[in-house]
């Protein structure tokens, strides 16, 4: 069997992300729409973009990808791919306006991880069999192996995987979401958590996703024909979460004067951000990868995140001709030391949406304030304009896509053989 190591699949650089985008671009319209649901295996990914690791860390941005696609195709031609980009945006907005979902999930993972860390008990044994690929379900065990080796699964396989985990293996969805979050190179707090909840019938209440043998066989080209799958998917239940909240308010003022720039894995394209009249005199980088879970995060996830951070720090420091410091940790102590070393009292950073980095910022910001240091988060207009449409189902955002593209100044020039223009 060939090795599918993650470094061969995903080089953690912006240049690699741009190269993947360029290679995929000719297939972003009809070819993508007709072939995107098929999982041909880890060595056959030409039917999908495989851009998610780069977009998740914003080595390349959603706006860049949309601009490239809609500079070549009309919106009607590339509709399916554009919608997939906005599904990511929708999930980010949904979790951002319902942070209690993340908070409850984190609490439940902590409780459940203690149970599976114990050597005895039925849950621990079933969990180990699932996460080691020893269930006897051919497709599921193969996907576990692929995930452990590459850090990636086709989107359709992710849905099947979650459905089998929940409805056939009868394991807690929270542990499944934690397992994939710790192993996906594109692991995202919103997309990962809410996708698992959607399969379980919690995101759209009562609507579940059932993995079926014929569907799996058909869309994997007969590679798999699993036996013993659940015949029904009864929606899970939970206590009410409450309604949506407004987006967190941020300062309307842009930074000015001498500042430091803090980069995290949440947004690694500072080149496209507006820093006002600030003079960036030093760059710092820090990661919250260890905070993803009480269980161990996969080495390939840490390596991709670290490589992406190093790539961005190096390029940014070179472009600005300033020093770059890799912080020992994402902590108020490390950031304060960085500020003292460069004579700073203000640090700017791309906004951290709900997730481990934002969790760390919740304690870092007040601690720094006591030392007279301001940590200023800057949120992209792309996010501020789109996220409020993520409070309900995806349709509310889907119908706004043309307006959101116009607000972002994206598209409108493509001519793909007379099939129409974006506007």
């Amino acid at each position: 069997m060939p090795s599918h190591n993650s470094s061969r699949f995903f080089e953690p650089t912006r240049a690699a992300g741009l190269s993947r985008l360029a290679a995929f671009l000719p297939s972003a319209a009809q070819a993508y729409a007709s072939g995107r649901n098929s999982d041909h295996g880890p060595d056959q990914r030409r039917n999908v973009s495989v851009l998610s690791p780069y977009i998740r860390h914003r080595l390349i941005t959603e706006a860049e990808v949309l601009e490239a696609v809609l500079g070549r195709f009309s919106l009607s031609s590339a509709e399916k791919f554009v919608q997939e980009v906005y599904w990511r945006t929708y999930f980010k907005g949904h979790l951002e306006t319902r942070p209690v979902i993340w908070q409850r999930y984190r609490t439940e993972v902590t409780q459940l991880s203690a149970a599976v860390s114990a050597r005895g008990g039925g849950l621990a044994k079933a969990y180990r069999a699932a996460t080691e690929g020893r269930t006897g379900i051919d497709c599921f065990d193969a996907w576990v192996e692929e995930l452990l080796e590459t850090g990636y699964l086709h989107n359709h396989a992710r849905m099947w995987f979650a459905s089998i985990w929940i409805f056939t293996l009868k394991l807690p969805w929270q542990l499944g979401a934690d397992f994939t979050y710790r192993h996906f190179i594109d692991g995202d707090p919103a997309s990962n958590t809410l996708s698992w909840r959607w399969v379980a019938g919690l995101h759209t209440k009562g609507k579940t996703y059932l993995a079926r043998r014929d569907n799996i066989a058909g869309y994997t080209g007969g590679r798999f024909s699993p036996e013993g799958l659940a015949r029904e998917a009864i929606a899970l239940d939970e206590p009410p979460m409450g309604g949506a909240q407004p987006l967190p308010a941020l300062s309307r003022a842009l930074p000015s004067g001498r500042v430091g720039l803090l980069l995290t894995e949440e947004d690694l394209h500072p080149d496209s951000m507006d820093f006002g009249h600030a003079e960036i005199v030093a760059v710092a980088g820090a990661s919250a990868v260890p905070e993803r879970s009480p269980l161990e995060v996969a080495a390939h996830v840490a390596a991709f995140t670290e490589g992406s951070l190093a790539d961005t720090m190096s390029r940014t420091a070179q472009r600005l001709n300033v020093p770059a410091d890799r912080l020992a940790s994402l902590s108020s102590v490390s950031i304060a030391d960085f500020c003292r070393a460069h004579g700073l009292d203000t640090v700017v950073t791309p906004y951290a949406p709900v997730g481990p980095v934002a969790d760390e910022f919740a304690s870092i910001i007040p601690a720094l304030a006591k030392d007279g240091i301001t940590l200023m988060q800057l949120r992209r207009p792309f996010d501020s304009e789109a996220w409020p449409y993520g409070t309900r189902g995806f349709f509310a955002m889907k119908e706004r896509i043309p307006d959101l593209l116009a607000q972002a100044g994206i598209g409108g020039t493509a001519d793909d053989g007379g099939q129409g223009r974006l506007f």
Side-chain angles (χ1 to χ4, degrees), residues 249-298:
L250 298 178
S251 171
R252 292 179 178 270
L254 288 172
S256 60
R258 299 174 75 256
V259 303
L261 171 62
L262 174 64
L263 297 171
T264 74
E265 62 264 34
E266 292 302 328
D267 194 318
L268 293 172
H269 196 248
D271 310 53
S272 59
M273 296 201 71
D274 183 3
F275 293 106
H277 298 289
E279 177 193 0
I280 298 174
V281 300
V283 177
S287 166
V289 166
E291 309 306 320
R292 285 194 180 196
S293 170
L295 300 174
E296 185 177 4
V297 176

Side-chain angles (χ1 to χ4, degrees), residues 114-132:
V116 299
S117 295
R119 300 307 298 175
L123 176 59
K125 291 178 181 178
Y127 176 81
R128 284 198 298 275
T131 57
E132 293 170 7

Side-chain angles (χ1 to χ4, degrees), residues 130-133 140-149 161 179:
T131 57
E132 293 170 7
F140 187 91
D141 293 347
W143 291 326
V144 170
E145 181 180 1
E146 183 181 344
L147 177 57
L148 296 179
E149 290 189 1
F161 185 96
F179 176 66

Side-chain angles (χ1 to χ4, degrees), residues 7 62 113 177 190 196 201 242 303 368-369:
S7 62
E62 296 92 332
S113 64
W196 275 84
L368 288 175

Side-chain angles (χ1 to χ4, degrees), residues 130-185:
T131 57
E132 293 170 7
R134 296 185 289 102
T135 67
I137 301 172
D138 59 359
C139 57
F140 187 91
D141 293 347
W143 291 326
V144 170
E145 181 180 1
E146 183 181 344
L147 177 57
L148 296 179
E149 290 189 1
T150 72
Y152 182 86
L153 289 178
H154 185 282
N155 184 62
H156 211 162
R158 298 182 192 211
M159 295 165 60
W160 291 321
F161 185 96
S163 181
I164 293 170
W165 179 287
I166 296 168
F167 300 116
T168 298
L169 302 179
K170 305 292 186 183
L171 289 166
W173 75 266
Q174 300 92 331
L175 286 177
D178 176 70
F179 176 66
T180 54
Y181 185 41
R182 291 186 291 113
H183 289 86
F184 279 145
I185 288 179

Side-chain angles (χ1 to χ4, degrees), residues 1 16 21-22 29 49 66 73 86 149 191 204 235 244 251 266 278 286-287 289 349 388 404 406 410 422:
M1 178 177 180
L21 174 58
S49 75
L66 292 167
F73 299 104
Y86 272 101
E149 290 189 1
S191 294
T204 302
S251 171
E266 292 302 328
S287 166
V289 166
T349 188
L404 292 170
I410 297 171
L422 178 56

Side-chain angles (χ1 to χ4, degrees), residues 41-386:
D43 289 315
Q44 302 292 330
R45 295 285 183 231
R46 294 185 182 88
N47 59 319
V48 291
S49 75
V50 202
L51 288 170
S52 54
Y54 302 97
I55 299 175
R56 182 268 174 270
H57 296 88
R58 278 185 165 162
L59 283 166
I60 57 176
T61 68
E62 296 92 332
E64 281 185 289
V65 172
L66 292 167
E67 185 68 59
V69 170
L70 295 174
R72 183 175 183 125
F73 299 104
S74 68
L75 178 56
S76 60
S77 297
E79 180 181 33
K80 287 297 183 184
F81 182 76
V82 171
Q83 287 177 8
E84 287 303 308
V85 175
Y86 272 101
W87 261 106
R88 174 176 295 273
T89 303
Y90 163 73
F91 276 148
K92 298 298 281 190
H94 194 89
L95 197 61
E96 197 67 16
T97 55
R98 286 181 169 81
V100 67
I101 294 175
W102 174 254
Q103 295 158 6
R104 185 182 292 179
Y105 158 76
R106 295 277 279 182
T107 298
E108 291 166 345
V109 167
T110 298
Q111 295 168 345
L112 289 165
S113 64
V116 299
S117 295
R119 300 307 298 175
L123 176 59
K125 291 178 181 178
Y127 176 81
R128 284 198 298 275
T131 57
E132 293 170 7
R134 296 185 289 102
T135 67
I137 301 172
D138 59 359
C139 57
F140 187 91
D141 293 347
W143 291 326
V144 170
E145 181 180 1
E146 183 181 344
L147 177 57
L148 296 179
E149 290 189 1
T150 72
Y152 182 86
L153 289 178
H154 185 282
N155 184 62
H156 211 162
R158 298 182 192 211
M159 295 165 60
W160 291 321
F161 185 96
S163 181
I164 293 170
W165 179 287
I166 296 168
F167 300 116
T168 298
L169 302 179
K170 305 292 186 183
L171 289 166
W173 75 266
Q174 300 92 331
L175 286 177
D178 176 70
F179 176 66
T180 54
Y181 185 41
R182 291 186 291 113
H183 289 86
F184 279 145
I185 288 179
D186 59 13
D188 178 86
S191 294
N192 187 70
T193 307
L194 297 179
S195 292
W196 275 84
R197 288 175 56 81
W198 184 84
V199 169
L202 296 171
H203 182 74
T204 302
K205 191 170 178 60
K207 182 177 182 180
T208 59
Y209 180 79
L210 179 65
R212 294 180 292 106
R213 178 183 178 184
D214 59 341
N215 186 257
I216 293 172
Y219 281 104
T220 62
R223 290 188 301 127
F224 304 116
S225 184
E227 300 285 350
L229 300 187
R231 294 182 178 274
E232 62 178 353
I234 299 173
L236 305 186
D237 201 5
E238 66 182 357
M241 288 285 185
Q245 302 176 12
L247 294 183
L250 298 178
S251 171
R252 292 179 178 270
L254 288 172
S256 60
R258 299 174 75 256
V259 303
L261 171 62
L262 174 64
L263 297 171
T264 74
E265 62 264 34
E266 292 302 328
D267 194 318
L268 293 172
H269 196 248
D271 310 53
S272 59
M273 296 201 71
D274 183 3
F275 293 106
H277 298 289
E279 177 193 0
I280 298 174
V281 300
V283 177
S287 166
V289 166
E291 309 306 320
R292 285 194 180 196
S293 170
L295 300 174
E296 185 177 4
V297 176
H300 58 245
V301 170
F304 186 89
T305 305
E306 184 63 33
S308 299
L309 194 58
D311 174 66
T312 305
M313 289 175 62
S314 175
R315 287 185 292 101
T316 304
Q318 185 174 19
R319 177 173 61 86
L320 299 176
N321 193 28
V322 299
D325 299 351
R326 178 63 173 91
L327 305 186
S329 64
L330 185 60
S331 67
S332 59
V333 173
S334 291
I335 297 172
D337 288 345
F338 167 74
C339 289
R340 282 191 287 269
H342 298 284
L344 301 171
D345 59 15
T346 302
V347 175
V348 297
T349 188
Y351 181 80
V354 170
V357 174
D359 290 345
E360 295 303 299
F361 278 178
S363 59
I364 288 171
I365 290 173
L368 288 175
K370 292 180 180 179
D371 288 337
I373 299 170
T374 299
L375 178 60
M376 178 182 291
Q377 296 191 75
L378 303 177
R379 190 163 57 219
R380 293 176 183 271
F382 184 94
D383 298 333
S384 295
E385 291 162 1

